[in-house]
Amino acid sequence: MKTICLYFEIHQVIHLKRYRFFDIGTDHYYYDSFENERTIAEIAEKSYMPALDALLQMIRESGQTFKVTFSLSGVGIEQLEIHAPQVLEKLQELNSTGCVEFLAEPYSHGLASLANEESFKEEVKRQAKKIKEYFSQTPKVLRNSSLIYSDEIGLLASQMGFKGMLTEGAKHVLGWKSPHYVYNCALDPNLKLLLRDVKLSDDISLRFNNSDWEGYPLFADTYMDEIAALPEEEQVIGIFMNLSALGIEQPLSSNILEFFKAWPACARQRGITFSTPSEICMKLKSVDSLDVPDTLSWMDEERDVSTWLGNPMQREAFNKLYSVADRVRIVNDPRINQDWDYLQASDNFRFMSTKPSRVGMDRGIYASPFDAFTNYMNVLGDFLNRVNSLYPAEIDNEELDGLLTTIRNQGEELEMKSKEISRLQAKVETLEKEEDRLRAEKEKKKPVRKSSRTGSAARKAATDPAAKKKKKSAPAGGKAE
């Protein structure tokens, strides 16, 4: 039985402001706040909210047989928290149906997997923690930025405990093989690979509203017929795209949401089901290993990383940024960490691309790739100065790590001693209160003795002749002498 794995990516570009050379050292805020707020508000209104409403309707009307998968970058979640919290609330509503899976991915939507293993692992852990906080799910499947994958990255994902990974069903990697099977990492058979069907995915995300396309107009029944016509043994159809394809790349006026809403009924008529990546990894066995010695992605015709690292400008910016990756991780300064996440985002490097692309690119404030490179390098220059100013640049990473470890250990020791002092003080106060209580109880229980001295003295005075004589000799109103 064929099953569709429908996956959407949610990520938000962090726009840099115009940053001049003379701003270096004087201005440490790098972002165009107005543009960031405007763009995410527009995407939320025109794409995210109507698309999520449609998906929720599909789940409910299908009797919860329709299933969908999402991943959100950490920086994307941060922007939604600030400017469009209603999107996160709608995702939580979708999650409550039990028909949604959330995947892990790098927090920054950056390229750390190509440069620094420790930074990559730390980012994925932070994003997975964020997913846990919002949706009470611990991701079991990893999706790298733009489906970037290689054998080494797959091995690293398996070592991190993931059961599966999504990647591109690129023709130059598959050769004669079909993307409609479950494969496994060549370096670790425990990691299963689910592949994107390039044609079926791009028919929606790139071509749906193109009236010059030979497949235009595309209807749900035609689309499901194409899937049903695949060989019987080809069971897994991965349809992966950005959520912004529904409403931005393909406008709502194209009836893109009506096309999707017809999916559950059309699929059911043809015996096609919907599954999440974890369900597929659990139910289906791998048919073969997939050798990917060179890095691939879902970008451009080449399906490689040349979109971000294809020219000398991009490589210079990339190498300069990741030259301080270990130092940033070791220093662990909150403000530095936030800027580090935003500067890593792959969009910064894509704006510098000189490649011709069939997918339109909005460079924002940049007039050219060189303009994007110049602005980014100015920002990066200030950022590197701030990183190095925290500790002298002549202190190497190993020495800095040792120094900060010592400081942290001393801080932890002081904190433990402070807690011990507080505990002992509390114990002393408790003992003092107990002592006061026992003393009070003792005082209450102490017997009160009535003195008979006054009565006996009176009787003695009454019977004592000497006392009587002394009393009589005393003058009136005076004292006896």
Side-chain angles (χ1 to χ4, degrees):
M1 180 179 289
K2 291 179 173 57
T3 191
I4 295 174
C5 181
L6 178 62
Y7 157 80
F8 294 105
E9 156 74 3
I10 299 177
H11 168 62
Q12 184 62 30
V13 176
I14 304 297
H15 296 276
L16 299 179
K17 67 181 181 182
R18 180 63 67 182
Y19 195 88
R20 311 289 181 183
F21 175 79
F22 296 103
D23 293 327
I24 298 175
T26 61
D27 183 3
H28 303 318
Y29 188 78
Y30 311 133
Y31 314 107
D32 187 337
S33 299
F34 175 80
E35 185 64 13
N36 286 325
E37 181 176 359
R38 186 196 68 78
T39 54
I40 196 167
E42 180 181 10
I43 293 174
E45 179 185 357
K46 294 182 178 180
S47 172
Y48 292 169
M49 290 304 293
L52 294 176
D53 281 333
L55 293 170
L56 182 59
Q57 179 183 341
M58 292 164 67
I59 290 173
R60 289 171 174 169
E61 292 183 353
S62 69
Q64 297 186 321
T65 58
F66 175 74
K67 298 181 180 180
V68 63
T69 303
F70 298 95
S71 74
L72 296 84
S73 68
V75 297
I77 293 176
E78 288 182 9
Q79 292 299 298
L80 292 173
E81 289 172 336
I82 298 170
H83 303 301
Q86 70 273 19
V87 175
L88 292 172
E89 292 170 4
K90 184 60 66 174
L91 284 166
Q92 289 174 326
E93 188 177 354
L94 274 158
N95 181 53
S96 66
T97 65
C99 299
V100 177
E101 180 176 3
F102 291 91
L103 307 184
E105 71 165 69
Y107 194 94
S108 69
H109 197 270
L111 307 174
S113 61
L114 306 178
N116 191 287
E117 180 179 307
E118 291 302 317
S119 292
F120 174 71
K121 290 194 293 186
E122 188 272 337
E123 280 199 59
V124 171
K125 289 177 182 177
R126 278 197 293 132
Q127 188 268 357
K129 182 179 179 182
K130 201 85 168 174
I131 293 296
K132 178 72 172 178
E133 290 173 359
Y134 270 101
F135 308 111
S136 300
Q137 290 193 26
T138 300
K140 301 179 180 65
V141 176
L142 174 65
R143 183 264 189 192
N144 199 3
S145 307
S146 301
L147 297 188
I148 291 174
Y149 178 81
S150 68
D151 292 335
E152 289 75 15
I153 294 173
L155 176 60
L156 180 59
S158 180
Q159 292 170 346
M160 293 173 67
F162 290 104
K163 303 302 180 185
M165 239 185 124
L166 305 189
T167 190
E168 181 78 341
K171 197 67 179 175
H172 71 274
V173 171
L174 286 170
W176 57 269
K177 297 178 180 177
S178 167
H180 305 138
Y181 294 94
V182 175
Y183 295 92
N184 64 263
C185 173
L187 300 182
D188 191 337
N190 293 318
L191 183 81
K192 293 181 177 179
L193 301 177
L194 306 184
L195 306 185
R196 175 178 181 262
D197 185 302
V198 177
K199 179 188 179 301
L200 290 173
S201 299
D202 287 353
D203 281 351
I204 300 173
S205 61
L206 299 182
R207 295 183 281 269
F208 186 82
N209 194 44
N210 182 3
S211 58
D212 295 330
W213 171 45
E214 60 182 12
Y216 180 87
L218 181 62
F219 297 102
D221 53 357
T222 306
Y223 193 79
M224 289 300 165
D225 282 340
E226 185 173 354
I227 293 175
L230 294 170
E232 184 177 350
E233 61 275 13
E234 297 188 12
Q235 298 183 11
V236 182
I237 294 85
I239 311 296
F240 307 160
M241 67 191 75
N242 291 317
L243 185 61
S244 60
L246 281 59
I248 301 298
E249 287 84 5
Q250 308 304 321
L252 297 181
S253 60
S254 67
N255 292 323
I256 184 73
L257 296 184
E258 286 66 26
F259 167 76
F260 269 97
K261 288 177 184 178
W263 274 30
C266 291
R268 184 169 55 252
Q269 292 170 3
R270 293 158 179 78
I272 300 171
T273 63
F274 295 90
S275 301
T276 64
S278 290
E279 289 175 339
I280 294 172
C281 289
M282 182 177 63
K283 294 177 182 178
L284 298 180
K285 294 182 179 180
S286 167
V287 297
D288 196 4
S289 64
L290 193 67
D291 294 310
V292 189
D294 299 318
T295 310
L296 64 87
S297 77
W298 72 359
M299 293 299 293
D300 295 337
E301 292 290 343
E302 296 84 358
R303 311 291 174 184
D304 58 14
V305 296
S306 59
T307 297
W308 309 284
L309 301 175
N311 65 48
M313 292 186 298
Q314 293 171 308
R315 291 190 290 272
E316 181 180 350
F318 176 84
N319 292 332
K320 185 74 77 173
L321 175 68
Y322 282 100
S323 68
V324 295
D326 291 328
R327 200 171 188 84
V328 169
R329 190 181 68 256
I330 292 167
V331 170
N332 196 27
D333 177 81
R335 181 62 189 277
I336 291 291
N337 289 344
Q338 184 180 56
D339 290 334
W340 171 249
D341 286 336
Y342 294 168
L343 294 178
Q344 279 192 93
S346 61
D347 313 280
N348 293 307
F349 300 95
R350 187 169 181 236
F351 292 148
M352 306 175 200
S353 177
T354 53
K355 288 177 55 181
S357 175
R358 62 194 176 96
V359 180
M361 184 196 309
D362 180 7
R363 298 185 197 271
I365 63 172
Y366 305 127
S368 66
F370 181 74
D371 187 24
F373 170 73
T374 303
N375 199 70
Y376 183 82
M377 292 304 287
N378 287 341
V379 170
L380 187 57
D382 184 78
F383 177 76
L384 296 179
N385 289 341
R386 289 168 54 212
V387 172
N388 291 328
S389 68
L390 290 174
Y391 294 93
E394 56 269 18
I395 300 178
D396 61 30
N397 290 337
E398 185 175 349
E399 186 179 354
L400 177 60
D401 192 15
L403 174 63
L404 292 180
T405 299
T406 301
I407 292 173
R408 282 193 291 268
N409 289 342
Q410 289 176 343
E412 291 172 0
E413 186 177 350
L414 289 172
E415 185 178 358
M416 289 177 61
K417 288 182 177 179
S418 178
K419 289 181 179 179
E420 180 66 15
I421 291 171
S422 298
R423 187 184 67 80
L424 292 174
Q425 286 177 338
K427 189 174 182 180
V428 169
E429 289 176 3
T430 302
L431 291 174
E432 288 176 347
K433 289 179 181 178
E434 182 66 15
E435 183 182 4
D436 291 341
R437 186 185 66 79
L438 292 173
R439 186 180 290 112
E441 289 182 358
K442 186 176 181 181
E443 289 296 329
K444 288 181 181 179
K445 292 179 180 179
K446 186 176 181 180
V448 179
R449 297 180 180 178
K450 293 183 179 180
S451 177
S452 60
R453 186 174 179 180
T454 303
S456 61
R459 286 193 298 272
K460 184 178 180 182
T463 57
D464 190 348
K468 289 180 179 180
K469 185 179 179 180
K470 190 173 182 179
K471 185 176 181 182
K472 288 179 179 179
S473 63
K479 294 181 180 179
E481 294 180 1

